[in-house]
Amino acid sequence: MTSGREASAQAGPDDAVGAPVRRARFQPIVDLRTGRPIGWEAHPHRWVEDAPDGGLAVLASLEAAGSPPDDGLVFVHVSADLLGDPRLYEECERLGSRVVVDVRGAEVDRLIDLSSELDALATAGIHLSIENTSGVSLALIARVRPTFVKLDPPIVRDIVHDPANRSVVRAYVAFAEHEGIHVIAEGVERHDQLDELRSLGVVLARGPLFGQPSGDWAPPSPRRRRPPLVLDTVRAAKEVLGGAADADAVAEQLVVELERIGDCSAVYYERDGLLRCVAEDGHAEVIDGIPVRSGLLGSAFRAGGLVHGDDPHGGGKRLAHAIHVSDRAVGVATVVSASGFTAEQESHLIELVGLAGTRIAEVGAPRAATAMHVLARATNELALLTDVHQVEIAAARLAGLVGGMSSTMFALPGTTGLDIKSLQGPLAPELRQLSPETLRRLLDHVGTASSCFVAAERSGMRPELAKLCEAGASSVVVLPVRSGERGVGLLLLADHAPMSLALDVREAIELLASGLGRALDMVMLVDDLRTQATVDTLTGLGNLAAFQEALSNMGARRRGGWALAMADVDGLKIINDTHGHLTGDFALRSLATVLHDVLRSEDRMFRIGGDEFAALLQDVDPEGAADVGRRMCEAAASVMADFGAGLSVGIAIPEQGERPDEFIDRADKMLYEVKRSERGTVRVAPSTERTAD
């Protein structure tokens, strides 16, 4: 193989001795949101197809062109076989620019086998792009994880009139957003194609509309672009928004400016995970409190840019764009138009939102949610929790949100005091050192008060709190968690910074502590009711309802997967008649204990009637099921033989396609065959030789 520079002199099959070396030409790849190039693609492609070096000639020729402006990317077509060649890295390092190696979709299968080479590319700061993706599954692309994927020119060519092509583009855009990949539309020639691509969420494009390949880093061709917005309109908007005194005033003025684009508009700011409407005009009704993970506005907020869609209330087309302050989305501006939007109107929206974000950065971000707002969210979350463990885990996190302190701890009664149930924050190691006895003393110290807090003043504080301050805590809040009037738990918040908590914040934390107490009472009550509904009160085993639920969850599996054992006490009536029902109950409790003990941890035992038991045996074959049944009979004899009683067992292994009532009936028949012929033993029902449908 020749070196990279020698290959550049032999770049094409038509080159002769003494012929001039072929130089690369470049075509811009444009960000449709700004109209500026993010990079350039090197041409011609046939260098890769004709030359034996897989694309090194193109890379070697780029050095003469210099670096692209503004640290733009350079897309170079290479063969997949070149990815493991050290000369690729040498040429990329020599260029000193941000290189994107462009591999054809037909070679994706090859790329999957080059995982170490792809890792080396990423380590070297070289991006990967996949072109000619028609016919390549998204699953394969996801495995390769390129930085860019390119939509083929044939898809773009008929995008306006072909619904199937639009569906393909939608699928690629949704896939790319999920996987963190950028989509580039190739071969864009007309403005109607550009408008359609924008409406589908495509933000990067290349093609004749933006200029032909040239010998330098040419910007997108001005003569092929639409006229810019009227400068006076943008200048006036900048002056008006620049006069807004705070973030709310910016929103009010932005709504006025958006009236130039559509029929009705609104501005939302994010607060505690919800988009809250702070200004609107022209809407018959306003949907407020939209989760940032939901709907068109949530999509715009998460994507951080422009999103198109239909107005859900039938108002026409809707545009939504995230409002950014210091690269962080703080809200969304949205506008609706019955007649749709032109490219100029979309550009105007982008400029207005950018101006609004700049002004918000100057006057201060939107007001954060108050402690009471956050408390309301926390209370709603607590109301949805269904067991004690969920409440324990959520307690520390919710306390940190409401109180605004970095470290939190929640403790409930244990054997020697209070045991920590949840813990978070930088002071967690120090909080974890507090013993159960210390936590109990802190709870007793608060007594009947609502809270105890320590700020900058430390003299005279209790030793337990002093230890926390010595460990770095400058602020501490201790709150009792009560059930009725009785303190049962402890909520503790701490922070390295000295914080003077306002009364409304302290009240919000105290209300949260009260809510935690009520939530614990409620979930424990529900747990008791659930236990009563599913547990046999005499034996402590699951009852008939629990058995039916477990049977339903198991489902009819393939033969050999599991087994159902039906058991019946032989002679319980004799025990009751001879020794009395108290003795009979004692015998049943003893029997339940030994039956539970002989089962494996994955098996479950139930009492489904007066003297009837059932067991669900996991992962057994007929022989293994029979062995478990024999152990059940032997265990029963150890506690029932003195009363002249025992246990008979019938087992069925569900077969494919068999209904529950059918295999229960087979187990029952085996049980009663045992009781008629040989009590105190076990039998497994034979296979029915059922075949799958």
Side-chain angles (χ1 to χ4, degrees):
M1 292 285 288
T2 57
S3 70
R5 297 192 179 282
E6 292 169 338
S8 69
Q10 306 171 17
D14 301 328
D15 287 346
V17 176
V21 176
R22 186 176 296 161
R23 297 186 61 185
R25 293 175 296 142
F26 307 96
Q27 187 173 28
I29 296 174
V30 178
D31 187 330
L32 303 183
R33 298 165 297 188
T34 64
R36 293 190 292 271
I38 60 116
W40 286 261
E41 181 164 290
H43 287 252
H45 300 179
R46 63 187 179 88
W47 286 15
V48 177
E49 298 166 358
D50 296 342
D53 62 3
L56 278 174
V58 187
L59 284 165
S61 72
L62 295 181
E63 188 174 6
S67 297
D70 300 323
D71 293 324
L73 300 169
V74 184
F75 289 70
V76 182
H77 294 261
V78 302
S79 166
D81 292 328
L82 191 62
L83 300 186
D85 193 323
R87 293 174 299 171
L88 170 67
Y89 301 91
E90 293 171 6
E91 292 292 350
C92 290
E93 183 178 4
R94 185 180 294 114
L95 289 172
S97 60
R98 296 184 295 168
V99 176
V100 181
V101 292
D102 215 341
V103 179
R104 287 175 294 180
E107 297 185 272
V108 167
D109 286 330
R110 175 80 178 107
L111 292 177
I112 292 175
D113 297 327
L114 297 172
S115 59
S116 60
E117 287 81 358
L118 295 179
D119 290 340
L121 279 180
T123 302
I126 303 171
H127 299 280
L128 175 67
S129 174
I130 306 295
E131 67 160 0
N132 300 122
T133 53
S134 293
V136 181
S137 77
L138 297 180
L140 288 177
I141 294 175
R143 290 179 64 184
V144 175
R145 299 200 62 79
T147 305
F148 301 90
V149 292
K150 294 182 175 179
L151 299 173
D152 294 353
I155 294 176
V156 175
R157 184 179 306 121
D158 298 322
I159 189 74
V160 176
H161 305 293
D162 191 335
N165 284 3
R166 291 197 293 273
S167 297
V168 170
V169 174
R170 281 194 200 92
Y172 266 93
V173 170
F175 163 78
E177 180 182 358
H178 182 269
E179 296 294 329
I181 299 171
H182 303 281
V183 174
I184 301 173
E186 298 222 89
V188 181
E189 300 175 338
R190 307 187 310 270
H191 288 295
D192 59 346
Q193 295 170 338
L194 180 61
D195 293 341
E196 191 65 41
L197 289 167
R198 280 172 165 162
S199 72
L200 295 171
V202 176
V203 297
L204 300 176
R206 178 183 69 84
L209 184 63
F210 308 104
Q212 297 292 340
S214 66
D216 57 9
W217 309 105
S221 174
R223 60 186 177 83
R224 299 303 302 271
R225 298 174 64 198
R226 290 186 172 185
L229 293 168
V230 178
L231 292 179
D232 289 344
T233 302
V234 177
R235 188 178 298 114
K238 186 174 183 179
E239 292 176 358
V240 173
L241 287 170
D246 55 32
D248 288 344
V250 172
E252 294 286 352
Q253 191 57 52
L254 180 56
V255 162
V256 174
E257 296 300 322
L258 291 174
E259 291 177 3
R260 305 175 188 272
I261 299 175
D263 305 318
C264 52
S265 57
V267 173
Y268 291 74
Y269 286 153
E270 186 272 337
R271 177 174 289 176
D272 192 30
L274 299 177
L275 295 172
R276 307 309 305 258
C277 183
V278 292
E280 64 85 23
D281 184 74
H283 288 83
E285 61 181 48
V286 176
I287 304 299
D288 195 14
I290 302 169
V292 296
R293 291 285 177 188
S294 174
L296 184 78
L297 300 190
S299 296
F301 183 84
R302 299 193 310 276
L306 184 66
V307 175
H308 307 70
D310 295 324
D311 179 45
H313 306 293
K317 296 296 182 180
R318 179 185 286 270
L319 293 178
H321 197 294
I323 303 172
H324 282 90
V325 174
S326 301
D327 296 327
R328 181 178 69 88
V330 298
V332 174
T334 181
V335 61
V336 177
S337 173
S339 58
F341 302 93
T342 66
E344 285 81 9
Q345 288 173 322
E346 292 184 15
S347 297
H348 196 180
L349 170 64
I350 293 170
E351 290 204 50
L352 288 173
V353 171
L355 293 171
T358 300
R359 184 55 181 167
I360 292 172
E362 295 169 350
V363 299
R367 290 194 301 270
T370 66
M372 287 300 177
H373 283 127
V374 181
L375 172 65
R377 304 288 173 218
T379 302
N380 288 339
E381 183 174 337
L382 280 176
L384 298 176
L385 303 182
T386 57
D387 64 53
V388 173
H389 182 66
Q390 290 177 337
V391 176
E392 293 172 351
I393 295 301
R397 176 177 54 82
L398 295 178
L401 291 175
V402 175
M405 302 181 79
S406 64
S407 303
T408 51
M409 182 199 70
F410 179 58
L412 286 175
T415 54
T416 60
L418 297 183
D419 292 339
I420 297 174
K421 299 299 182 181
S422 60
L423 186 65
Q424 68 171 26
L427 285 167
E430 288 75 17
L431 294 175
R432 190 176 287 109
Q433 297 304 313
L434 297 176
S435 67
E437 297 85 352
T438 298
L439 296 176
R440 168 57 71 182
R441 287 196 297 270
L442 284 174
L443 177 60
D444 294 339
H445 175 62
V446 179
T448 59
S450 299
S451 63
C452 171
F453 64 94
V454 175
E457 180 58 46
R458 300 178 181 177
S459 59
M461 71 177 64
R462 292 182 62 84
E464 298 86 355
L465 297 176
K467 287 183 179 179
L468 280 176
C469 293
E470 291 170 2
S474 296
S475 304
V476 180
V477 181
V478 180
L479 306 101
V481 176
R482 294 189 173 93
S483 175
E485 295 299 321
R486 183 172 55 89
V488 296
L490 183 73
L491 198 59
L492 192 150
L493 295 80
D495 203 289
H496 285 105
M499 302 173 65
S500 180
L501 295 181
L503 176 59
D504 62 330
V505 177
R506 297 201 307 275
E507 287 178 334
I509 305 173
E510 292 165 2
L511 288 171
L512 174 66
S514 298
L516 285 169
R518 290 191 297 272
L520 285 169
D521 289 341
M522 182 59 66
V523 295
M524 286 190 286
L525 175 61
V526 171
D527 189 57
D528 288 343
L529 293 175
R530 187 185 297 117
T531 299
Q532 293 174 22
T534 58
V535 174
D536 175 57
T537 56
L538 176 65
T539 63
L541 299 176
N543 61 14
L544 178 60
F547 169 68
Q548 292 171 335
E549 180 181 358
L551 197 61
S552 175
N553 291 336
M554 292 283 289
R557 299 183 180 178
R558 296 182 64 86
R559 184 166 66 180
W562 59 286
L564 167 66
M566 303 293 287
D568 191 87
V569 178
D570 303 319
L572 179 63
K573 186 176 185 304
I574 296 175
I575 298 176
N576 288 333
D577 292 344
T578 305
H579 303 283
H581 284 279
L582 290 179
T583 302
D585 290 347
F586 171 77
L588 286 174
R589 285 195 295 270
S590 301
L591 176 61
T593 299
V594 296
L595 290 179
H596 180 271
D597 290 344
V598 299
L599 294 186
R600 302 164 302 169
S601 60
E602 62 267 30
D603 301 332
R604 294 188 64 185
M605 176 67 69
F606 306 86
R607 183 190 179 207
I608 59 175
D611 58 357
E612 296 173 291
F613 294 80
L616 297 177
L617 311 178
Q618 301 275 7
D619 300 320
V620 291
D621 56 16
E623 184 178 346
D627 182 61
V628 174
R630 282 190 291 271
R631 294 203 305 271
M632 291 170 60
C633 295
E634 293 168 359
S638 68
V639 296
M640 305 287 282
D642 290 343
F643 300 106
L647 188 74
S648 296
V649 178
I651 296 175
I653 295 180
E655 299 178 354
Q656 184 178 1
E658 191 175 19
R659 299 193 311 271
D661 62 305
E662 292 176 326
F663 59 73
I664 290 175
D665 183 63
R666 288 199 295 120
D668 264 334
K669 286 179 179 177
M670 286 300 99
L671 170 62
Y672 286 103
E673 279 193 23
V674 171
K675 291 181 74 68
R676 282 195 303 268
S677 60
E678 192 177 0
R679 291 190 174 194
T681 61
V682 60
R683 272 189 200 175
V684 179
S687 169
T688 63
E689 300 299 332
R690 179 184 296 264
T691 59
D693 294 336

